[in-house]
């Protein structure tokens, strides 16, 4: 809307502009993130970011042009925005003409595009884009038509436009950015090979079977026939008879099966019916089980990679019934054979200082060697306190035996668990038998501060715990080692943006109160910075009183900044500044070091100006917040909120005030 006192003056001023000016100081850029290929008949989404260099641009939107075989599904920015379908570029009767014209209704300018292509305008819920401001992320979702030709790229064209150009009123005309054209290529088939071995490691022996899974994903609605999966088993892997499972596919069967008495061999599964792809993946899934044979030398410390390779070949039947041989797709999976395998876990994965962490080790011993010594050295991550009274371990040899071992803690960080000595003392056994499994459990708690530096444990920090096992085998291997690790993360901060006592619309002189909030579940973070971008031209940073009060009662009726009613910290900013170029307020805060969950909240008061702006200009405020964790990694959060500003209503009354010639009283006006 053209705002308030300047509306009529603005209208008269544009009446004398015969040739709209085109600004050259704005440069809008779009990131190119379209996937190079995607499934036929299925939806894919991509996010493109719009940034601006130079002076502010007003009224951003994107032109999207798609070929007939790409279906538009949705587009949004900050969870909002609108999309207008403009139409399809018409077909010209002249066969030599391949491009025709549609009109962009937002700026009443012609747009040229290929015949039959669809044209959309994606209107972003933001009024202005400034150099140095947060990028505007736009997620666009499209679907490739099942009739598309496999392997033939489909073009996606995007053009950024500033509807109102370099002014909020549009006085100088729109600015059309550079064309960004990308291609997505339709595909039919994906193949994946995986294994169920924990951390992809397993000791040899029948005690430690694991499963290979071969998954074929076919594009939605696409038909393939035949489909052949070929898997060459590793020469050190013994197939388990009758373990093949086939899920999905049409008329699928095992046509070649590996030997169940000698390792290696080939597994071949053929599907000779029409297999039609669906969304979600796993259209044909083949799995089978087995174990690693005695491939390791128990006289020495040794490990060995067991590599499995597989492939899938298929014929695609297109919509016309034409058979198209697809290129063979390959996949592989690797498992490492070890005398002793160790995996470490930690839960929960995300928590705050003071919370309890449960750690566990899972240990598997080869079927071909007995353990004669076993000591774990666990390096407790700085930021964690170890609970030495919580340690137990269980050996599953026949009936489970649970033992509470002695624990040695060095320098509060290195925990030594001599499990074998505890095992001997409790059982009198001189070895832990081949094929045994061992489980170790203990607890720790998250510290408020790091042990080494005294610095606080911060939001988004990662606390890693590593363990190594030293072991001997009765058969001769000695001083062997195996390791693992596990991590937990400190809960990150989150932000929120709202308008206090929001009005249906605001008028010049009204005060808009923005509430900026950061939740700090961990109670600790640093490098906090609030950056609030006010919507041009109705709110301007030079009109904001940068004075600050820790008392919310001091703020109502003024135009300053104060702590919000939900704030729990009572902090005073270390600095407050205004950037006219960004039209943004920057607030820097001291580090937060507490033992409980906290809320940092402010109310920012700003006054609506009487500067004119064009109908349809979004008045969106964007709140951007930054924090740092201990390694110095910066987390960024963004929260937008909109307001409406009312324009004056012009009411005309027309009537007759007098008549000539007599004949009665004059009519009422």
């Amino acid at each position: 809307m053209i705002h308030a006192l300047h509306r009529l003056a603005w209208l008269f001023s544009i009446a004398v502009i015969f040739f709209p000016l085109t600004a050259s100081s704005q440069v809008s850029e779009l990131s190119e993130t379209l996937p190079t290929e995607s499934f036929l008949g299925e939806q894919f989404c991509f996010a493109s970011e719009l940034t601006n260099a130079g002076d502010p641009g007003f009224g951003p939107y994107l032109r999207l042009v798609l070929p007939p075989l790409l279906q538009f599904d949705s587009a949004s920015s900050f969870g909002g925005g609108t999309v207008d379908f403009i139409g399809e570029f018409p077909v010209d009767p002249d066969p030599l003409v391949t491009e025709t014209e549609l009109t962009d209704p937002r700026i009443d300018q012609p747009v040229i595009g290929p015949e039959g292509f669809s044209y959309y305008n994606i209107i972003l819920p933001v009024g202005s884009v400034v150099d140095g401001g947060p990028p505007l992320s736009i997620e666009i979702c499209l679907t490739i038509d099942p009739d598309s030709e496999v392997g033939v790229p489909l073009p996606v064209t995007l053009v950024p436009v500033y509807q109102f150009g370099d002014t909020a009123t549009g006085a100088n005309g729109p600015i059309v950015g550079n064309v960004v054209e990308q291609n997505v290529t339709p595909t039919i088939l994906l193949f994946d090979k995986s294994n169920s071995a924990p951390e992809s490691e397993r000791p040899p022996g029948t005690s430690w079977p694991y499963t290979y899974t071969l998954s074929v994903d076919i594009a939605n609605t696409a038909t393939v026939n035949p489909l052949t999966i070929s898997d060459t088993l590793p020469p050190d892997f013994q197939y388990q008879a009758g373990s093949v499972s086939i899920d999905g596919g049409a008329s699928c069967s095992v046509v070649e099966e590996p030997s169940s008495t000698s390792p290696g061999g080939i597994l071949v599964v053929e599907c000779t019916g029409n297999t039609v792809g669906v969304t979600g993946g796993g259209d044909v899934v083949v799995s089978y089980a087995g174990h690693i044979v005695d491939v390791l030398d128990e006289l020495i410390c040794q490990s060995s990679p067991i590599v499995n390779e597989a492939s899938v070949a298929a014929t695609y039947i297109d919509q016309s019934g034409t058979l198209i041989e697809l290129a063979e797709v390959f996949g592989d999976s690797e498992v490492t054979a070890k005398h002793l395998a160790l995996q470490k876990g930690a839960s929960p994965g995300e928590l705050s200082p003071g919370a309890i962490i449960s750690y566990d080790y899972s240990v598997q011993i080869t079927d071909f060697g007995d353990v004669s010594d076993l000591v774990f050295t666990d390096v407790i991550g700085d930021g964690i306190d170890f609970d030495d009274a919580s340690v137990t371990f269980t050996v599953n040899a026949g009936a489970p035996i649970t033992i509470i071992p002695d624990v040695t803690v060095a320098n509060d960080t290195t925990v030594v668990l001599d499990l074998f000595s505890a095992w001997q003392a409790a059982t009198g056994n001189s070895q832990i038998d081949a094929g045994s499994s061992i489980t170790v459990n203990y607890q720790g708690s998250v510290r408020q501060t790091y042990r080494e530096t005294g610095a606080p444990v911060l939001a988004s920090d990662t606390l890693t715990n590593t363990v190594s096992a030293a072991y001997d085998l009765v058969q001769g291997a000695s001083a062997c080692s195996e390791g693992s690790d596990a991590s937990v993360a400190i809960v990150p901060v989150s932000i929120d943006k709202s308008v206090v006592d929001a009005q249906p619309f605001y008028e010049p002189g009204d005060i808009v109160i923005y509430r900026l909030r950061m939740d700090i579940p961990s109670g600790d973070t640093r490098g906090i910075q609030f950056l609030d971008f006010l919507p041009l031209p109705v709110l301007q940073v030079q009109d904001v009183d940068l004075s600050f009060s820790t008392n919310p009662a001091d703020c109502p009726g003024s135009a300053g900044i104060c702590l919000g009613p939900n704030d729990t910290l009572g902090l005073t900013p270390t600095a407050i500044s205004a950037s006219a170029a960004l039209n943004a307020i920057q607030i820097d805060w001291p580090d937060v070091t507490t033992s409980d969950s906290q809320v940092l909240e402010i109310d920012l008061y700003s006054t609506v100006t009487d500067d004119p702006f064009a109908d349809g200009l979004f008045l969106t405020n964007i709140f951007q917040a930054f924090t740092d964790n201990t390694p110095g990694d910066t987390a960024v959060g963004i929260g937008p909120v909109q307001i409406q500003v009312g324009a004056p209503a012009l009411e005309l009354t027309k009537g007759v005030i007098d008549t000539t010639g007599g004949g009665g009283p004059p009519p009422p006006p």
Side-chain angles (χ1 to χ4, degrees):
M1 57 191 70
I2 307 301
H3 174 55
L5 305 179
H6 293 267
R7 182 181 178 99
L8 293 178
W10 184 84
L11 288 172
F12 285 123
S13 70
I14 63 170
V16 298
I17 299 176
F18 297 103
F19 301 99
L21 301 177
T22 301
S24 59
S25 56
Q26 284 78 14
V27 179
S28 55
E29 294 185 355
L30 276 174
S31 61
E32 299 187 20
T33 58
L34 190 75
T36 56
E37 59 182 23
S38 191
F39 267 156
L40 192 77
E42 294 192 18
Q43 184 186 80
F44 67 93
C45 299
F46 65 101
S48 187
E49 288 190 338
L50 174 66
T51 56
N52 180 76
D55 294 335
F58 292 86
Y61 68 98
L62 304 182
R63 292 173 179 166
L64 172 66
V65 176
L66 300 175
L69 294 174
L70 271 181
Q71 170 190 309
F72 174 80
D73 295 328
S74 64
S76 65
S77 178
F78 295 135
T82 57
V83 179
D84 293 336
F85 173 59
I86 309 305
E88 293 183 359
F89 290 97
V91 176
D92 193 288
D94 185 347
L96 298 179
V97 175
T98 59
E99 290 188 328
T100 54
E101 180 180 302
L102 288 172
T103 299
D104 182 347
R106 299 193 73 80
I107 60 175
D108 194 27
Q109 287 189 4
V111 177
I112 306 299
E115 294 178 331
F117 280 44
S118 299
Y119 166 32
Y120 300 82
N121 278 339
I122 302 171
I123 299 94
L124 308 184
V126 174
S128 58
V129 189
V130 297
D131 189 352
L136 305 183
S137 180
I138 308 99
E139 183 178 71
I140 301 172
C141 295
L142 310 172
T143 295
I144 300 178
D145 192 282
D147 289 332
S148 299
E149 188 173 346
V150 177
V152 177
L154 299 172
V156 175
T157 301
L158 287 167
V159 179
V161 183
Y162 291 134
Q163 179 179 356
F164 307 114
D166 61 348
T167 68
T169 62
N172 294 331
I175 299 174
V176 180
N178 295 325
V179 175
V180 177
E181 185 169 297
Q182 305 167 76
N183 293 315
V184 59
T185 300
T187 58
I188 290 294
L189 187 145
L190 293 176
F191 179 58
D192 179 68
K193 177 75 185 281
S194 62
N195 67 78
S196 66
E199 296 187 13
S200 292
E201 56 189 23
R202 218 62 176 151
T206 56
S207 298
W208 311 115
Y210 63 93
T211 300
Y212 283 112
T213 300
L214 302 88
S215 181
V216 180
D217 191 5
I218 301 169
N220 186 36
T221 73
T223 300
V224 296
N225 185 11
L227 182 145
T228 303
I229 301 172
S230 301
D231 191 343
T232 302
L233 275 60
D236 302 318
F237 180 83
Q238 178 59 63
Y239 167 76
Q240 178 182 321
S243 64
V244 175
S245 170
I246 304 173
D247 184 19
S251 302
C252 300
S253 62
V254 177
V255 296
E256 184 173 351
E257 189 173 9
S259 168
S260 60
T261 57
S262 59
I266 297 176
L267 173 68
V268 178
V269 173
E270 283 188 353
C271 301
T272 56
N274 286 348
T275 299
V276 181
V278 298
T279 57
D283 295 298
V284 183
V285 178
V286 176
S287 61
Y288 62 92
H291 65 272
I292 300 171
V293 298
D294 187 12
V295 66
L296 303 178
D297 184 352
E298 288 75 31
L299 295 175
I300 59 174
C301 302
Q302 191 181 34
S303 64
S304 177
I306 309 297
V307 180
N308 179 286
E309 295 182 345
S311 65
V312 59
T315 298
Y316 166 57
I317 305 174
D318 70 10
Q319 300 294 315
S320 66
T322 302
L323 302 182
I324 301 173
E325 293 289 335
L326 300 176
E328 191 171 12
V329 183
F330 297 87
D332 61 67
S333 180
E334 182 175 315
V335 175
T336 302
K338 298 181 175 182
H339 294 310
L340 181 147
L342 165 65
Q343 304 90 39
K344 180 158 190 176
S347 64
E350 196 173 76
L351 66 180
S352 296
I356 301 300
I357 312 169
S358 294
Y359 289 102
D360 63 83
Y361 316 151
S362 295
V363 182
Q364 307 88 40
I365 300 173
T366 175
D367 281 2
F368 305 100
D370 307 289
V371 171
S372 57
D373 190 21
L374 180 59
V375 177
F376 291 97
T377 301
D378 201 330
V379 180
I380 305 298
D382 194 359
I384 302 169
D385 279 334
F386 170 70
D387 181 1
D388 58 353
S390 66
V391 180
T392 62
F393 82 94
T394 301
V395 177
N396 293 318
I401 301 173
T402 300
I403 298 172
I404 300 176
D406 292 331
V407 178
T408 302
V409 181
N411 301 322
D412 294 325
T413 59
T414 303
V415 177
V416 179
L417 305 175
D418 189 346
L419 298 190
F420 187 77
S421 295
W423 165 261
Q424 278 190 313
T427 66
N429 294 331
S430 60
Q431 64 184 39
I432 301 176
D433 293 338
S436 294
S437 64
I438 300 171
T439 302
V440 179
N441 302 99
Y442 70 86
Q443 292 183 333
S445 59
V446 181
R447 295 171 54 88
Q448 294 291 336
T449 60
Y450 286 104
R451 187 179 294 104
E452 293 183 4
T453 64
V457 176
L458 302 177
S460 298
D461 279 0
T462 298
L463 307 178
T464 301
N465 183 300
T466 61
V467 60
S468 61
Y471 66 93
D472 298 340
L473 296 182
V474 172
Q475 287 71 21
S478 64
C480 302
S481 64
E482 162 67 344
S484 187
D485 62 72
S487 298
V488 296
I490 304 302
V491 180
V493 303
S494 62
I495 68 168
D496 183 64
K497 174 75 176 285
S498 60
V499 179
V500 179
D501 298 328
Q503 305 300 311
F505 64 88
Y506 292 83
E507 297 180 355
D510 285 350
I511 293 178
V512 182
I513 308 171
Y514 290 113
R515 181 161 291 166
L516 317 182
R517 172 174 173 146
M518 174 179 286
D519 286 90
I520 311 171
S522 67
D524 301 273
T525 192
R526 69 177 184 178
I528 308 170
Q529 183 184 91
F530 285 4
L531 196 57
D532 197 52
F533 296 84
L534 300 179
L536 289 168
V538 297
L539 299 176
Q540 298 184 12
V541 294
Q542 57 264 36
D543 297 330
V544 176
D545 182 354
L546 300 185
S547 62
F548 181 83
S549 174
T550 57
N551 183 5
D554 293 342
C555 274
S558 70
I561 304 169
C562 67
L563 291 179
N566 303 301
D567 181 85
T568 61
L569 288 163
L571 298 177
T572 298
T574 57
I576 301 177
S577 60
S579 169
L582 297 176
N583 200 46
I585 305 293
Q586 178 176 315
I587 304 175
D588 298 322
W589 297 93
D591 295 344
V592 175
T593 306
T594 68
S595 57
D596 298 307
S597 176
Q598 301 292 346
V599 174
L600 177 59
E601 182 181 82
I602 64 165
D603 287 347
L604 188 154
Y605 289 69
S606 55
T607 304
V608 177
T609 71
D610 60 2
D611 286 19
F613 60 94
D615 292 329
L617 183 70
F618 286 99
L619 303 175
T620 303
N621 181 295
I622 298 178
F623 170 39
Q624 193 172 30
F626 303 84
T627 58
D628 293 338
N629 65 1
T630 298
D633 298 328
T634 300
V636 183
I638 296 179
V641 67
Q642 289 183 3
I643 62 169
Q644 297 289 333
V645 174
L650 179 63
E651 183 176 313
L652 299 178
T653 301
K654 181 178 181 180
V656 178
I657 61 174
D658 196 5
T659 63
T660 60

